[in-house]
Amino acid sequence: MKNPESVKHGLLSSRRSMPSIPAPIHRAAAYHFEYGELYLFHRHSACCPACGSLWGIFDKRVNGRIYLETSSPNLRDFRKWHLLPQGYRYCRRASRRELRDYIASLVYSECRTAEKTPH
């Protein structure tokens, strides 16, 4: 049976820093992303804490690169349709509570942007 932590967390680069970290994503589908799901990405911490992680909705993987529909480092500033920036080594799927917070913040951000845009 797989260790629950190895299923929950993923490693994004080929460099290993801790023996308990699962195999890199780019090796033979070691980590399967679900289209439209929210993931937290982190540069240094395998547990990908909510504070300090990049929150992003997975779009696709092309030539080993991860594309995100939207992302935010702080649930205030959002970026759309882009590659995952270099340097993020770890990831995990967001909890339902984190997903709720992300979507609520994204909607609020869209409303703020719409108010600022002249019609």
Side-chain angles (χ1 to χ4, degrees):
M1 188 168 144
K2 288 185 177 180
N3 177 353
E5 289 301 307
S6 69
V7 174
K8 185 176 178 183
H9 303 289
L11 178 64
L12 296 176
S13 73
S14 60
R15 193 175 82 185
R16 285 182 170 233
S17 59
M18 298 169 51
S20 62
I21 302 303
I25 285 174
H26 66 271
R27 282 192 198 160
Y31 195 93
H32 177 73
F33 286 99
E34 296 282 333
Y35 170 78
E37 286 294 326
L38 177 65
Y39 295 88
L40 277 71
F41 300 92
H42 204 277
R43 295 179 191 273
H44 310 290
S45 177
C47 64
C48 301
C51 183
S53 289
L54 178 71
W55 302 47
I57 295 181
F58 178 77
D59 178 35
K60 62 187 172 186
R61 185 184 300 173
V62 177
N63 297 326
R65 298 292 311 268
I66 296 169
Y67 285 79
L68 302 174
E69 289 183 26
T70 63
S71 71
S72 176
N74 55 20
L75 299 184
R76 286 186 308 275
D77 305 307
F78 289 85
R79 189 172 168 203
K80 298 177 185 166
W81 306 111
H82 65 95
L83 281 166
L84 177 67
Q86 293 288 334
Y88 285 93
R89 296 183 58 217
Y90 303 100
C91 68
R92 70 173 171 88
R93 195 172 186 171
S95 68
R96 292 292 117 186
R97 185 177 189 172
E98 290 168 332
L99 176 62
R100 180 202 64 209
D101 293 346
Y102 184 85
I103 296 301
S105 296
L106 179 61
V107 168
Y108 181 73
S109 174
E110 291 289 327
C111 291
R112 278 193 341 239
T113 303
E115 288 175 359
K116 293 177 184 177
T117 307
H119 293 82

